[in-house]
């Protein structure tokens, strides 16, 4: 997949982007605007990202439902229906919310309302405590629903007041502050009160097939629901029951994996029911264009999760589920699931077009906590499996890991050492990562590696390997904080 691009969620729109209000997953969205807005209006593309939490309680997953978002004045709705978003992924990617057509004029702010916050965290404080779900021991992964203290926030600072010019598309990024959104001295008395800011996205220097590019979203999984050969487009569903997205392609779109089922790697092999992972560009007035479409499964389900537990005998792995395609019965985003590895389990990597530096992912010995994986349950939850719930799998695919931390040492013009703040790494005895960049690495808020210094805080995204001395992360994306 194109690792030079920003990875976004498509849960309702993206999660990789947003999710339906009645699902516990992280994906959904309204069909994008594919034609120019009326002359007296402009297209407003709205996305979201996140500043991670750093305080000893490592939040592995945090989901909340956006029940409303309106532009002021006029109470102009930004989303058509509630969306559930998994926030932690947004520290190194963006989540596309929607594209709307707004009248030209001046706008003073945006009000966003949340409900049903739920987090999965690693208790890294060294002490246990009581919470609504029971007792959480030190070092344990627990789930907690914090009380909602304030449901809404109105963003009225920069870039507001916002001047919208007729016929000129804009990109508005909402920056969710996960750390600032919690109040309380410990997780045991923590309450949720959303804190957000915003800024205008600058279009990329080059234009895409359908106009200026405002965002790029990689490794977005979903289910094909319809194919329109005449219009060179297809629709995808990102959570069961959620609205679909219309995806446009052209003769430059790359297709992978269809040869595994005896078909050509081409648009003609797309059929409803397939699970695919797509790399998307958000272009022009809300058109979503696929630069790459990769077949993951001809049917069934795919789960995406962070590796948080390993069996010393090599028989199973525990994951915090971050995404589902489609919605998997009995599992919600943030749940811990045990993957029981069946004899002959296949291990592979999703990044054939990235320089891997000789690193491999070919067996159980290549697993480490903090890696992101994709796996397909062979059936539903197995009966009598106890806690955590269990699924049988015979395939693990390495996906992009995300992490936030500080640069501790510069090694060369392409490589540096990185100290992650995520508690899952110290829990595994990992206190430093070797980060390698390439020509495919995309830098955000900084021109390149030369603009970064020791002590800078950055968020990273890319596949992570066990390494020789330190784990190695091949960075596809770096955001300077």
């Amino acid at each position: 997949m194109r690792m030079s691009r920003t990875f976004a969620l498509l849960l309702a729109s993206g999660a990789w982007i947003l999710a339906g209000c009645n699902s516990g997953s992280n994906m959904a969205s309204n069909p994008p605007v594919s034609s120019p807005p009326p002359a007296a209006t402009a297209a407003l593309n709205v996305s979201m990202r996140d500043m991670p939490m750093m305080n000893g309680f490592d939040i592995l997953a945090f989901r909340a439902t956006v029940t409303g978002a309106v532009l002021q004045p006029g109470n102009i709705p930004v989303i058509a229906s509630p969306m559930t978003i998994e926030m932690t992924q947004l520290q190194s990617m963006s989540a596309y919310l929607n594209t709307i057509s707004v009248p030209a004029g001046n706008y003073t702010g945006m009000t966003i309302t949340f409900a049903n916050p739920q987090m999965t965290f690693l208790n890294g404080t060294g002490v246990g405590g009581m919470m609504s779900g029971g007792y959480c021991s030190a070092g344990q992964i627990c789930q907690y629903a914090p009380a909602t203290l304030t449901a809404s926030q109105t963003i009225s600072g920069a870039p507001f007041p916002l001047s919208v010019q007729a016929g000129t598309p804009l990109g508005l990024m909402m920056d969710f502050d996960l750390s600032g959104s919690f109040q309380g001295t410990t997780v045991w008395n923590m309450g949720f009160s959303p804190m957000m800011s915003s800024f205008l996205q600058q279009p990329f220097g080059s234009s895409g097939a359908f106009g200026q590019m405002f965002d790029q979203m990689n490794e977005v999984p979903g289910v094909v629901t319809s194919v329109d050969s005449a219009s060179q487009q297809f629709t995808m569903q990102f959570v069961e029951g959620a609205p679909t997205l219309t995806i446009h392609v052209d003769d430059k779109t790359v297709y992978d994996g269809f040869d595994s089922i005896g078909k050509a790697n081409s648009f003609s092999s797309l059929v409803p029911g397939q699970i695919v992972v797509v790399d998307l560009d958000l272009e022009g007035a809300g058109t979503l264009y696929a630069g790459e479409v990769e077949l993951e499964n001809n049917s069934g389900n795919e789960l995406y999760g962070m590796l948080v537990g390993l069996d010393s005998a090599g028989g199973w792995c525990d994951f915090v589920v971050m995404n589902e395609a489609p919605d998997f019965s009995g599992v919600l985003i943030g749940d811990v699931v045990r993957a029981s590895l069946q004899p002959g389990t296949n291990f592979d990597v999703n990044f054939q077009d990235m320089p891997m530096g000789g690193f491999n992912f070919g067996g159980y010995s290549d697993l480490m906590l903090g890696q992101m994986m994709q796996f397909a349950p062979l059936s539903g939850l197995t009966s009598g499996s106890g806690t955590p719930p269990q699924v049988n799998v015979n395939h693990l695919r390495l996906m992009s890991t995300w992490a936030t931390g500080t640069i501790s040492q510069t090694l060369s013009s392409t490589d540096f050492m990185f100290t992650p703040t995520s508690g899952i790494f110290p829990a595994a005895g990992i206190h430093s990562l070797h980060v390698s960049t390439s020509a495919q690495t995309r830098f955000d808020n900084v021109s390149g590696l030369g603009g970064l210094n020791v002590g800078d805080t950055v968020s990273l995204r890319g596949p992570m390997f066990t390494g020789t001395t330190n784990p190695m992360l091949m960075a596809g994306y770096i955001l300077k904080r």
Side-chain angles (χ1 to χ4, degrees):
M1 308 301 282
R2 304 170 301 165
M3 287 304 301
S4 60
R5 310 301 180 87
T6 300
F7 188 168
L9 291 177
L10 251 121
L11 298 182
S13 72
W16 267 312
I17 293 183
L18 300 175
C21 62
N22 58 352
S23 79
S25 223
N26 55 338
M27 291 186 185
S29 166
N30 301 308
V33 179
S34 59
S35 58
T41 65
L44 181 65
N45 302 304
V46 184
S47 301
M48 182 181 291
R49 72 179 188 186
D50 167 49
M51 168 62 80
M53 196 167 188
M54 313 173 195
N55 66 349
F57 285 101
D58 180 53
I59 296 184
L60 305 178
F62 175 77
R63 70 176 188 264
T65 300
V66 180
T67 58
V70 294
L71 199 62
Q72 305 293 355
N75 289 324
I76 299 173
V78 174
I79 60 173
S81 59
M83 304 174 171
T84 298
I85 310 174
E86 199 291 302
M87 301 288 190
T88 65
Q89 302 173 66
L90 305 188
Q91 61 189 272
S92 62
M93 70 184 80
S94 59
Y96 167 63
L97 301 183
N98 202 5
T99 297
I100 60 172
S101 180
V102 299
N106 295 319
Y107 294 89
T108 58
M110 181 181 291
T111 300
I112 303 179
T113 304
F114 292 85
N116 304 320
Q118 176 81 37
M119 63 179 171
T120 304
F121 68 96
L122 172 64
N123 181 1
T125 64
V127 297
M130 290 298 299
M131 57 183 193
S132 58
Y135 188 82
C136 183
S137 301
Q140 184 180 354
I141 294 175
C142 304
Q143 290 183 301
Y144 178 60
T148 299
L149 305 178
T150 305
S152 300
Q153 186 198 0
T154 297
I155 302 171
S156 56
F160 296 100
L162 179 64
S163 178
V164 175
Q165 306 297 319
T168 302
L170 293 175
L172 184 64
M173 178 67 73
M174 315 304 293
D175 201 347
F176 181 83
D177 185 347
L178 183 57
S179 183
S181 295
F182 288 97
Q183 300 179 18
T185 56
T186 69
V187 72
W188 324 121
N189 63 2
M190 195 173 288
F192 175 69
S193 184
M195 180 178 292
M196 301 186 69
S197 58
S198 64
F199 62 91
L200 284 178
Q201 288 180 288
Q202 298 301 315
F204 289 24
S206 58
S207 293
F210 298 92
Q212 291 179 306
M213 287 192 288
F214 282 92
D215 209 346
Q216 296 175 312
M217 299 163 277
N218 279 5
E219 300 175 23
V220 180
V223 180
V224 177
T225 54
S226 68
V227 179
D228 185 345
S229 300
S231 300
Q232 287 289 283
Q233 63 187 40
F234 63 98
T235 59
M236 288 180 67
Q237 184 180 55
F238 298 93
V239 206
E240 187 176 353
T244 58
L245 289 175
T246 299
I247 311 299
H248 297 258
V249 300
D250 63 11
D251 57 2
K252 296 183 178 63
T253 300
V254 175
Y255 300 87
D256 294 317
F258 293 90
D259 54 348
S260 67
I261 57 172
K263 295 189 176 183
N265 286 319
S266 68
F267 182 81
S268 62
S269 298
L270 275 173
V271 296
Q274 291 173 334
I275 300 174
V276 296
V277 169
V278 294
D279 288 348
L280 296 175
D281 296 341
L282 173 60
E283 300 181 0
T287 296
L288 290 171
Y289 164 76
E292 186 170 355
V293 181
E294 182 172 358
L295 179 68
E296 299 299 324
N297 204 330
N298 208 36
S299 60
N301 294 83
E302 295 283 347
L303 299 179
Y304 301 79
M306 176 188 293
L307 182 58
V308 295
L310 289 168
D311 174 25
S312 59
W316 51 260
C317 310
D318 285 347
F319 295 93
V320 172
V321 176
M322 298 293 182
N323 212 346
E324 305 171 308
D327 198 26
F328 187 70
S329 178
V331 175
L332 300 177
I333 298 304
D335 285 353
V336 177
V337 169
R338 177 159 295 174
S340 177
L341 307 183
Q342 303 303 293
T345 294
N346 178 46
F347 296 76
D348 63 18
V349 181
N350 191 44
F351 309 98
Q352 293 85 355
D353 57 348
M354 280 191 73
M356 291 292 106
F359 290 96
N360 296 310
F361 183 76
Y364 195 85
S365 63
D366 296 321
L367 298 176
M368 61 178 291
L369 302 191
Q371 287 174 322
M372 283 295 301
M373 302 286 174
Q374 169 194 329
F375 52 100
L378 297 177
S379 60
L381 294 176
T382 59
S383 61
S385 56
T387 302
Q390 181 172 304
V391 294
N392 294 327
V393 303
N394 61 8
H395 179 207
L396 290 179
R397 171 164 290 179
L398 184 66
M399 307 294 283
S400 285
T401 290
W402 56 85
T404 296
T406 58
I407 296 175
S408 57
Q409 181 185 357
T410 300
L411 300 177
S412 68
S413 61
T414 59
D415 290 24
F416 61 89
M417 298 303 295
F418 170 81
T419 301
T421 58
S422 172
I424 196 66
F425 293 106
I430 301 168
H431 303 285
S432 190
L433 301 179
H434 182 155
V435 178
S436 183
T437 66
S438 69
Q440 291 179 288
T441 304
R442 180 186 168 198
F443 291 86
D444 196 346
N445 203 33
V446 65
S447 59
L449 189 56
L452 294 172
N453 301 301
V454 171
D456 285 346
T457 299
V458 295
S459 294
L460 313 172
R461 190 175 201 88
M464 185 172 65
F465 300 88
T466 53
T468 304
T469 304
N470 297 103
M472 172 72 75
L473 189 144
M474 314 300 293
Y477 176 75
I478 297 178
L479 168 65
K480 181 180 179 182
R481 291 292 180 177

